[in-house]
Structure formats: C-alpha cells, structure tokens
C-alpha cells in the first residue's frame, strides 16, 4: 500500500497530537516543573506544526500555513533543548528558540508563494539541525548523562541533526528534484522518520519526567528546611551557601566545598528497585552527617548528590575530609544484610583557588565532580583553576 502525502501528513499529525496530549496531561498531573513545562511547549508547537502541515497537504495553495508550520517546527525542537538545560539545572535560554522561530517566520514570509511547496525550507532545515544538535549535546551532560532514557533522547536528537544537515546540504546543492533528495530526503521519508522519532522521544521524556516525579520522596519533599534524608534541601542549602560565601568573603575566611555523587545510582534502581535506591541514599546521608564537620553546611542538591561547605584553615583539609568520607563509605554498608557498599565521586574546590564568586565555585565543583566520575567513579578530584 502506498500512502499519498496528504494521508501521510494526516497520520503523522494524529500521532504527534496523541503523543503531545499524553505528555502534557502526565506533566500537569504528576510533576509540573520548569523542564516539564518547556517540553510541553515543545509538544504544543509540534502539534501546531502537524496541524499546519496537514492543512497544507489538503490545500497546497495556502502557502502561508507553511510559515506557521515552519515557525512552530523550529520552536518545538528548540524547546526540547531549552527544557533539557533546565532539567540539568541550567538557565533555559528559551528566548533563543523564540528568536530563531521569529527569524524563520520572517524568512518564510519573504520567500512567499513563489517558492512553492518548499517555501522557507532552507532556513527551516538549518534551524532544526542546529537545535537538534544543541539538544543532543545537552542531553549528554550533567545529570542527564547518567540516565539511560536521556541517552535514548540524545540519540534521537543527534539523528535528527545529522539527517537535517544532510537534507539541507542536498537541498541547497542538488535541489529538491534530484534523485538523491527524492529517494532519501523526500517529504514521505522525512514524515516516516519523524513519526518514529516522535514516538521514541515521547517515551524517553515521559519516563524522565516520571523518574523525577518518583524522586520527590528524597529530592524535593522537605521537612521544614530539610530534605527527608536529614540534611538541607536544595533550595534551603543554596540560600545558606550564598550567605556563607558572602560572609566568608567579608571576613577573609577560607571556605572549602566537597561535592559527593553516589556512583551507579540508576543501575541500583534498575537492579534492586527504587526502594533499595532510596534506602541507599538515606544510608549515605547518614554517613555524610556523621563524618562531616559539626560546623559544616550539608545539602542534598539532587538525587544522589550531596554538597558540604566548611570553613578550613588550609586547602588540604578539604581533601582530607573527602578521603574520610570515601573511607566511611567503604567501612559502612548501605545494606547490612547483603553487605553492599556504596561508592561516590568527589569534587573538591576552595575559595583560595576560585575566589568568592558562587557561580564560579559551583561551576568548578561540577567540573571536578564530573572529572571524578569520568575517571570511573570512586575518585577524588581537587579542582584547579585553568591557566591560559
């Protein structure tokens, strides 16, 4: 059976709308956070794109409907990147996709009906490739890098990026009537690929949102200013951390920060269940509380991530504290019945090396901790300022 373009676009539109409605409802009912809202915007834009292209498929003379579809298409892919940034704890930069969508709208309108069915295609292809590449890179960093579903989403985005880079190149150099373009990059082929990737992406993002919702018991729910594991919650800790840095700067005190990421937490949840993973986090939190300095600031900033801030007399004290915590994890099992022990990746920084800028300290701490993880975990990496 051979499907014509209008039928194929209609089927694609129905699938995208069903996926979008499902994701938006799940986000609204389970965890209506910033990343979920941005991904919902992506689906809303995707549904508008599907509706626009479906209408155009039945009425090709309505060239202006392509301008709406092209604009929404770029916005849809850009919102995935923006939501992924927020998921990783970074600024959304949503204004970039909005600005890009505006540029696509203007360029498509400038081409007008004279370009026929390919009105605005060149800037559209380039815009999709750029934001898909940015999204693929973002889903491979920070907390998303540790998640299997984020890697699946990353694969989808990188595939879209590569496909549209090739599609744009063939379109510009050989034209849409060329044999290569018609065989591998035609509307029919692109629509089928889009359907498959939308389904894959929807599943991945839905599971990512569900996992974050399930992590509320240990990551977000607070008892007063504390997370339920007994140390400061992320919001309370960040306020206290900023205050400590400001006061230390005023008095000239030396502050040290130790980040501690529990290794293989997703694998624990997969192998033993989320209940075991939650128990492991509680056990690690107790170890941190018992072995951190009494006057230290303790925070649970994310699933399996703890940060300790302490006033020290020398920079070496921070590394020694990290060594004590690492040793304690080896000595104290998280599950006495099975004698299972946790390991962690440690990043260590201090104000002597990085100054009293909280953003700079956070960035250096993230880099050091990621370096410890990249080395295989169960490592301690002391952050060093980059030299020109």
């Amino acid at each position: 059976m051979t499907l014509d373009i209008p039928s194929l676009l209609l089927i694609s539109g129905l699938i995208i709308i069903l996926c979008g409605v499902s994701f938006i409802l799940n986000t609204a009912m389970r965890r209506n956070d910033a990343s979920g809202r941005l991904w919902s915007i992506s689906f809303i834009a995707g549904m508008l794109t599907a509706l626009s292209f479906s209408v155009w498929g039945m009425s090709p003379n309505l060239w202006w409907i392509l301008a709406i579809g092209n604009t929404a298409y770029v916005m849809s892919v850009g919102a995935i990147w923006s939501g992924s940034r927020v998921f990783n704890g970074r600024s959304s930069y949503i204004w970039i996709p909005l600005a890009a969508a505006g540029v696509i709208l203007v360029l498509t309108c400038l081409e007008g009906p004279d370009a026929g069915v390919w009105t605005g295609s060149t800037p559209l292809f380039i815009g999709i490739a750029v934001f898909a590449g940015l999204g693929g890179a973002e889903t491979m960093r920070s907390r998303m890098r540790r998640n299997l579903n984020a890697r699946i989403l990353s694969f989808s985005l990188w595939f879209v990026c590569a496909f549209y880079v090739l599609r744009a190149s063939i379109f510009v150099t050989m034209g849409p009537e060329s044999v290569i373009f018609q065989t591998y990059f035609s509307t029919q082929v692109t629509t089928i690929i889009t359907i498959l990737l939308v389904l894959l992406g929807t599943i991945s993002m839905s599971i990512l949102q569900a996992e974050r919702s399930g992590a509320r018991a240990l990551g977000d729910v607070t008892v007063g200013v504390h997370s339920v594991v007994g140390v400061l919650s992320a919001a309370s800790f960040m306020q206290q951390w900023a205050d400590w840095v400001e006061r230390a700067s005023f008095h000239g005190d030396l502050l040290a920060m130790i980040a501690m990421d529990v290794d293989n937490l997703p694998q624990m949840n997969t192998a033993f269940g989320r209940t075991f993973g939650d128990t492991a986090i509680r056990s690690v939190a107790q170890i941190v509380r018992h072995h951190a300095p009494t006057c230290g600031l303790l925070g649970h900033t994310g699933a399996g991530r703890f940060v300790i801030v302490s006033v020290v007399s020398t920079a070496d004290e921070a590394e020694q504290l990290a060594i004590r915590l690492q040793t304690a994890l080896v000595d104290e099992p998280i599950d006495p019945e099975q004698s299972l022990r946790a390991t962690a990746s440690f990043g260590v920084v201090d104000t002597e090396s990085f100054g009293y800028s909280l953003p700079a300290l956070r960035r250096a701490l993230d880099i050091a901790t990621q370096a410890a993880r990249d080395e295989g975990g169960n490592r301690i990496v002391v952050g060093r300022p980059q030299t020109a």
Side-chain angles (χ1 to χ4, degrees):
M1 180 178 68
T2 303
L3 292 174
D4 55 23
I5 291 179
S7 299
L8 198 56
L9 290 175
L10 180 60
I11 294 171
S12 171
L14 290 173
I15 291 174
I16 292 172
I17 289 172
L18 288 173
C19 290
V21 170
S22 174
F23 181 87
I24 292 168
L25 288 177
N26 273 282
T27 298
M29 295 176 65
R30 299 185 67 172
R31 183 185 175 98
N32 186 19
D33 62 358
S35 62
R37 288 193 293 271
L38 288 167
W39 284 342
S40 295
I41 290 173
S42 172
F43 277 102
I44 292 171
M47 290 188 285
L48 179 58
T49 302
L51 180 61
S52 300
F53 288 170
S54 296
V55 171
W56 169 82
M58 292 181 288
S59 302
N61 58 309
L62 299 177
W63 70 269
W64 52 268
I65 204 73
L66 288 177
I68 298 176
N70 290 353
T71 302
Y73 203 160
V74 170
M75 186 64 215
S76 178
V77 182
I80 294 176
W81 165 67
S82 184
S84 298
R85 285 182 58 90
V86 172
F87 193 100
N88 282 332
R90 307 207 299 158
S91 300
S92 69
Y93 286 171
I94 187 61
W95 62 268
I96 296 179
L98 287 170
V103 171
I104 297 296
L105 176 62
V106 171
L107 293 177
T108 303
C109 290
L110 287 177
E111 286 191 26
D114 295 337
V117 298
W118 300 107
T119 300
S121 292
T122 302
L124 171 66
F125 296 167
I126 294 173
I128 294 171
V130 169
F131 282 115
L134 289 172
E138 188 63 36
T139 51
M140 293 179 66
R141 60 177 294 160
S142 190
R143 69 178 65 168
M144 295 190 81
R145 182 176 182 178
R146 301 166 55 182
N147 193 292
L148 176 61
N149 290 288
R151 294 174 191 170
I152 294 173
L153 178 60
S154 180
F155 166 79
S156 302
L157 291 169
W158 280 120
F159 187 90
V160 170
C161 177
F163 181 82
Y164 271 92
V165 166
L166 292 173
R167 196 180 193 209
S169 301
I170 300 299
F171 182 86
V172 171
T173 58
M174 299 183 180
E177 303 302 326
S178 65
V179 175
I180 294 179
F181 190 90
Q182 289 297 320
T183 303
Y184 300 106
F185 302 101
S186 64
T187 300
Q188 294 93 325
V189 173
T190 303
T191 303
I192 293 172
I193 291 175
T194 300
I195 291 173
L196 296 175
L197 294 177
V198 164
L199 291 172
L200 193 61
T202 301
I203 293 170
S204 299
M205 287 190 285
S206 296
I207 295 176
L208 284 168
Q209 282 297 97
E211 287 178 346
R212 293 195 76 190
S213 179
R216 288 179 65 85
L218 294 181
D220 297 333
V221 173
T222 61
V223 180
V225 297
H226 288 84
S227 124
V228 293
V229 300
V231 299
L232 288 174
S233 64
S236 301
F237 174 77
M238 290 307 303
Q239 293 175 352
Q240 292 293 319
W241 191 1
D243 179 64
W244 276 46
V245 170
E246 181 182 352
R247 289 190 290 129
S249 175
F250 181 81
H251 293 288
D253 293 329
L254 177 60
L255 277 185
M257 292 118 224
I258 301 97
M260 174 179 166
D261 266 8
V262 178
D263 294 328
N264 303 318
L265 184 58
Q267 288 80 355
M268 285 186 197
N269 290 330
T270 301
F272 303 105
R274 180 169 291 278
T275 300
F276 178 88
D278 290 350
T279 301
I281 295 301
R282 292 179 185 274
S283 299
V284 171
Q286 282 296 97
I287 293 172
V288 171
R289 291 181 64 246
H290 290 162
H291 293 273
T294 305
C295 58
L297 186 66
L298 313 181
H300 185 204
T301 60
R305 183 179 179 91
F306 298 88
V307 178
I308 303 166
V309 182
S310 179
V311 178
V312 295
S313 56
T314 66
D316 291 339
E317 286 186 31
E319 186 176 5
Q320 292 302 315
L321 173 57
I323 292 173
R324 289 202 304 273
L325 289 169
Q326 186 183 43
T327 303
L329 287 176
V330 174
D331 292 340
E332 301 180 26
I334 57 174
D335 184 359
E337 293 183 2
Q338 302 183 54
S339 297
L340 293 177
R341 287 160 169 78
T343 63
S345 301
F346 294 85
V348 180
V349 300
D350 59 71
T351 54
E352 183 178 67
S353 300
F354 294 95
Y356 293 92
S357 167
L358 183 57
L361 289 167
R362 290 184 61 189
R363 185 167 54 252
L365 194 60
D366 287 341
I367 292 172
T369 309
Q370 187 59 53
R373 182 172 295 282
D374 291 342
E375 291 178 9
N378 196 25
R379 299 286 193 281
I380 298 172
V381 172
V382 178
R384 304 295 183 192
Q386 295 181 347
T387 56

